[in-house]
Amino acid sequence: HGDHRDLHLSIRRQRQMCIRDRQGGVKLKGEVIPQGAKNEALQVICASLLTNEKIVIENIPEIIDVLKLIDLLSSLGVKVIRIKKNKYSFQADNVNIDYLNSKEFKTKGSSLRGSIMIVGPLLARFGKGYIPKPGGDKIGRRRLDTHFLGLIELGASFRYNKEEYFYGVEAKELKGSFILLDQASVTGTANVLMASVLATGKTEIYNAACEPYIQQLCKMLQSMGADIKGVGSNLLIINGVKTLNGCNHKVLPDMIEIGSWIGLAAMTKSQITIKNVSWENLGQIPNIFRKLGIKIEKHNDDIFIDDELGNAARLNGQSPGHVQDLKESFSNGVLTNMPVGAVMRLPALDKTGKPHQYKWKLMYGYGRTFAQIELGVDGWAFNEIIASETEWEDIQSFENDYFAP
């Protein structure tokens, strides 16, 4: 499909990246442009399965997880064309639903967390959706209950093959219902939302996630002809339609990357300008960092971070209080909740040579370094190690086990 075969080469190349020797202790200065948001891209790409018409999506980050999902959809029969860098078209007018039972699908689907979000669209349009136990970052327990319980409320029957760790939902017809999500899961909300737009009647999703990426998904679905009210709140009201049409959509810049650059500027006392951040969609991120004593200025649609730090506050809370994936960026006397799997970051911090006492302080948010990732455990690893060693004055050497072939 177009030059889609190049995706395999791109994935292999990204896996071969490694972190090499660098000398820290140098202030940074300049401009950066954040890439498109991975979490939004995974959702809106899956939404292309809801229609047989063409969907064009811009600002797609060409990173491993996203490329794997695109490859998975292509294997399902979706026509994928890379129009130019970061811009793709998808047309699901000849989906091979039998592919869901293949060994190849079970292998590909289990290699990324985002594959879970094909279940809702496939169920809504084709009456069945299967998925192997999905992969993803190792940050502790990541339940699938929210997804499947919501789909069951719409009338789907659930099955599970414990020998193959293979999940499935099927329904001859989905019917609108009141759904109280057991947790405000972003991917769970997205899955149930995408299924409900083609269900018969009215669906109310309460305790829905309201992050900007869910709002973006709602806006895309609305442009496809979906009837959704309550966008931006924790109560989504959907009146189902029979079919959806194609659309054009642009992915927001990645707020996690934006927040990471803010943290990097602060820990190195640098002046950095982050370009085209989509201020109106950043929510509480600028104010939260300002409470940490970081001086942030709005220059049109850009963020400028000054090299002076003020006094920090003590913070806690989940979105809309703040983005969960940015909580590890907080330090300098900040108290914040973290995923249970954060303890798995200790082996990576061992490689940095930092004292053991400091590591534990870092894990609970009392450290004095803005550090956001661990090496060799999950996708947050890249910028945390780079940020940490940028501050350190001695030379550090790391090998990125997570991306190793």
Side-chain angles (χ1 to χ4, degrees), residues 193-204:
L193 171 64
M194 288 188 282
S196 65
V197 293
L198 292 179
T200 302
K202 183 172 76 172
T203 298
E204 294 179 296

Side-chain angles (χ1 to χ4, degrees), residues 98-116:
D98 293 333
Y99 177 74
L100 297 177
N101 293 309
S102 68
K103 184 177 180 180
E104 181 180 277
F105 170 72
K106 294 174 182 178
T107 299
K108 288 185 176 182
S110 63
S111 68
L112 73 156
R113 184 73 183 177
S115 61
I116 184 64

Side-chain angles (χ1 to χ4, degrees), residues 226-275:
D227 183 350
I228 305 172
K229 296 180 177 63
V231 178
S233 75
N234 64 351
L235 174 60
L236 296 175
I237 301 173
I238 305 101
N239 290 299
V241 297
K242 290 186 177 181
T243 59
L244 295 173
N245 48 261
C247 74
N248 294 324
H249 181 79
K250 186 174 182 179
V251 175
L252 287 177
D254 196 323
M255 66 174 65
I256 300 170
E257 181 181 345
I258 292 169
S260 299
W261 280 114
I262 296 173
L264 176 63
M267 66 175 279
T268 58
K269 298 182 180 179
S270 300
Q271 291 184 346
I272 295 179
T273 298
I274 310 172
K275 305 287 289 184

Side-chain angles (χ1 to χ4, degrees), residues 9-20:
L9 177 60
S10 179
I11 292 173
R12 289 199 299 273
R13 283 175 177 168
Q14 289 194 46
R15 285 185 175 279
Q16 292 170 357
M17 291 191 298
C18 64
I19 300 177
R20 301 186 182 277

